[in-house]
Amino acid sequence: MLDLGFVRGNLPLVEEKLRQRGADPAALLGDFHVLDGARREAITRAEQLKARRNELSQRVGALKRAGQDATALMEETRSIKEALDGLDAEAATLDEKMRQSLARIPNLTRDEVPSGRSEEQNVVVKTWGSPARFDFEPKPHWELGEQLGILDLERATKLSGARFAVYKGAGARLERALISFMLDRHTLEHGYTEVLPPFLVNSRSLFGTGQLPKFAEDLFRCADGQEFVEGEYRDNDHWLIPTAEVPVTNLFRDEILDETQLPICYAAYTPCFRAEAGAAGRDTRGIIRQHQFEKVELVKFARPEDSDAEHEKLTGDAERILEMLGLPYRRMLLCTGDTGFSSAKTYDLEVWLPGQGAYREISSCSNFESFQARRANIRYRPGNKGKTEFVHTLNGSGLAVGRTWLALVEHYQQADGTVLIPEVLRPYMNGMERIAASS
RNA sequence: GGAGAGGUGGCCGAGCGGUUGAUGGCAGCGGUCUUGAAAACCGCCGAACCCGAAAGGGUUUCGUGAGUUCGAAUCUCACCCUCUCCGCCA
């Protein structure tokens, strides 16, 4: 969420930034200054009446203590109260409107983010490794997975419908190995603290990180309470997390952190659940796009002046996993139109998938600056200044485990249909060197 | 699910209709003292919003929402959450 005062004082800039994102400034803040003016006027008038009422009440108290008559004053206070009812309601309504429209305005992208409509305009920042060359026709992971008996998509459909998977044998083991491998690197070598959060969160949390209200249709919600109503963020409803970002970032919601704690770096494994509304027909084969997938997520809370450097470091930490696994990738700087709602700047890591002959997203590393912190009210007290400030939050996949699984299977496939296991992973696979059909 | 207790400022903890934004303690900040540090002592110290160029003024805020009252942290009701015990269960 942007700061109300900032939007008020920088309307042209905000409009320009929204346009760069491909958003419609008119729709998002068309009547901003009208609404803002009306809201402030209502507040001012209501507050003047309240000041008068409070003053009268005090005098009533004084008179009564002195044993004198106060009926005249009490009469005036009563009439103020009636006028106040309407005014207060009006101010509250306008305030809520402002709040809601503010909550739907995306973050401002940084100036170094390239302008662009879609992913076409994303910029390659670096490329690591090069796509493997095969002297045979590489197969997509769904064929390999089925032949090796490590992936069962058909039966998953029976259990849960489309976009679910069952992993078996070495396939299940591989998934678990990847999770452990990633967590070990991040906690043992990159300085993150492991967190295992709840997989269900309330709507307050989803508002905090920016999934609500705009992206409700992308989420799975448990039918254990009332309907979701925009503007009402409950702490007693339950939604499946779309990413560990939500519970982990919200750990410090409504808290004031000590500056000496920062940066706080967490690594969390969780399954992720996404409704994938609007993705109908996309990536229907294989496990690229699932309703449920595993992910190891990196989350940081940093001082504003450090968030850039922490963003680079975090992205590097994710990249290192790909490098250790020997998977070719490239780092993309997302353009304005492709940068997520809450993010000020995002790098995507794209891994090469031989089965598709394309680079596909396997990690997304974002600096949210104070956008989420303002929504979730996460602050810290800088130095010896008494004033609190919002922290900067960051996160990135480190990595999406399901996609790592399929990249690995496709990248390390052999002519005979087996899949080599990279050396760094073998300790996590009980020494297994390759996945063969009999396993 | 049943019974009880409780939700107050960064933290702990008083207050239980009228100068209470809230006693006190801790932490933090500034100062005195000291070669330095500690201790001791003195002072400052919540947040959001509105008006104002500023100085400053005002409003709201004691889990949330309604209500009673001239006036509520304090009274009433509903709801939420936490803790303890019991039951059930991984």
Side-chain angles (χ1 to χ4, degrees):
Chain A
M1 194 155 60
L2 300 179
D3 177 65
L4 175 60
F6 178 85
V7 176
R8 184 184 298 142
N10 299 274
L11 216 45
L13 170 69
V14 174
E15 283 173 348
E16 174 54 24
K17 286 287 185 186
L18 289 178
R19 225 172 286 127
Q20 279 178 17
R21 270 185 180 270
D24 180 6
L28 281 173
L29 34 76
D31 52 356
F32 180 90
H33 53 282
V34 179
L35 203 59
D36 186 46
R39 166 183 169 273
R40 288 198 282 171
E41 197 190 316
I43 288 174
T44 303
R45 282 195 297 156
E47 287 185 350
Q48 282 166 353
L49 278 184
K50 283 180 188 173
R52 175 75 181 150
R53 179 199 61 190
N54 291 347
E55 182 201 336
L56 289 174
S57 286
Q58 286 218 356
R59 278 164 48 190
V60 169
L63 282 178
K64 288 207 161 183
R65 255 183 317 230
Q68 294 179 319
D69 176 63
T71 37
L73 293 182
M74 283 162 68
E75 213 37 62
E76 186 181 346
T77 319
R78 230 190 298 268
S79 71
I80 286 177
K81 198 177 165 189
E82 276 162 37
L84 210 45
D85 279 343
L87 257 180
D88 250 350
E90 188 193 339
T93 305
L94 288 166
D95 192 61
E96 182 57 22
K97 265 193 191 165
M98 279 306 288
R99 220 172 271 286
Q100 287 199 16
S101 83
L102 210 55
R104 282 182 166 272
I105 296 172
N107 201 358
L108 306 185
T109 49
R110 291 173 142 277
D111 289 339
E112 71 264 30
V113 172
S115 258
R117 294 255 123 201
S118 71
E119 56 183 309
E120 308 290 313
Q121 282 83 50
N122 294 344
V123 172
V124 181
V125 177
K126 72 182 253 198
T127 304
W128 186 90
S130 48
R133 291 232 284 275
F134 296 89
D135 47 15
F136 59 94
E137 185 65 28
K139 292 174 179 169
H141 67 276
W142 55 86
E143 281 180 27
L144 289 161
E146 197 182 331
Q147 284 163 16
L148 293 168
I150 58 175
L151 185 65
D152 188 344
L153 296 172
E154 223 167 285
R155 289 199 178 91
T157 307
K158 176 169 67 182
L159 302 179
S160 312
R163 295 200 193 281
F164 286 94
V166 173
Y167 298 85
K168 286 190 308 187
R173 180 66 191 252
L174 178 59
E175 185 84 359
R176 184 156 56 91
L178 284 169
I179 294 167
S180 295
F181 173 73
M182 293 179 193
L183 280 174
D184 282 355
R185 299 290 78 68
H186 294 314
T187 58
L188 270 33
E189 291 153 29
H190 300 161
Y192 293 78
T193 301
E194 186 168 347
V195 170
L196 183 62
F199 303 158
L200 296 178
V201 293
N202 55 34
S203 45
R204 285 270 289 125
S205 299
L206 286 157
F207 178 82
T209 31
Q211 281 78 15
L212 289 180
K214 206 180 163 198
F215 305 101
E217 69 277 6
D218 295 333
L219 304 168
F220 287 112
R221 179 177 191 283
C222 297
D224 62 347
Q226 296 95 321
E227 283 302 300
F228 168 62
V229 178
E230 180 164 350
E232 284 182 22
Y233 304 102
R234 314 166 59 85
D235 44 22
N236 61 337
D237 53 355
H238 301 281
W239 305 60
L240 296 179
I241 56 170
T243 158
E245 161 191 355
V246 181
V248 177
T249 304
N250 276 281
L251 276 172
F252 297 120
R253 191 173 73 226
D254 295 321
E255 293 193 29
I256 298 173
L257 302 172
D258 191 22
E259 186 182 24
T260 57
Q261 299 175 264
L262 301 176
I264 296 171
C265 304
Y266 286 147
Y269 151 75
T270 70
C272 304
F273 304 91
R274 298 187 182 177
E276 294 296 343
R282 290 182 64 197
D283 302 317
T284 49
R285 303 214 61 181
I287 58 167
I288 287 207
R289 193 172 297 275
Q290 299 275 285
H291 284 312
Q292 174 187 326
F293 61 94
E294 324 285 315
K295 185 154 61 67
V296 169
E297 184 78 359
L298 307 174
V299 176
K300 290 190 180 186
F301 304 83
R303 295 153 59 195
E305 59 267 40
D306 297 334
S307 73
D308 255 337
E310 294 297 340
H311 186 209
E312 297 296 326
K313 263 203 263 178
L314 184 149
T315 308
D317 293 335
E319 285 174 341
R320 178 149 183 272
I321 301 293
L322 286 164
E323 290 168 17
M324 289 189 78
L325 292 173
L327 296 172
Y329 71 89
R330 59 185 191 180
R331 186 205 285 204
M332 310 295 289
L333 173 57
L334 299 195
C335 72
T336 51
D338 206 25
T339 300
F341 177 80
S342 299
S343 175
K345 179 180 179 181
T346 299
Y347 292 122
D348 269 9
L349 302 184
E350 298 182 339
V351 69
W352 177 258
L353 298 184
Q356 300 213 344
Y359 281 102
R360 294 299 305 264
E361 177 186 343
I362 196 166
S363 172
S364 192
C365 303
S366 300
N367 185 354
F368 303 95
E369 299 188 334
S370 58
F371 189 85
Q372 293 182 325
R374 197 170 283 109
R375 289 179 157 246
N377 192 27
I378 307 170
R379 295 167 296 170
Y380 79 109
R381 222 178 281 280
N384 32 26
K385 277 178 273 175
K387 192 88 176 140
T388 58
E389 266 180 41
F390 291 109
V391 301
H392 279 195
T393 61
L394 306 97
N395 69 54
S397 346
L399 307 159
V401 179
R403 288 189 180 178
T404 308
W405 188 100
L406 79 92
L408 217 128
V409 166
E410 291 191 2
H411 182 79
Y412 286 106
Q413 62 178 300
Q414 307 295 305
D416 62 1
T418 62
V419 170
L420 271 184
I421 296 170
E423 215 146 325
V424 291
L425 221 46
R426 290 180 191 169
Y428 294 89
M429 291 294 285
N430 201 26
M432 186 185 286
E433 291 175 14
R434 73 172 63 223
I435 301 173
S438 56
S439 60

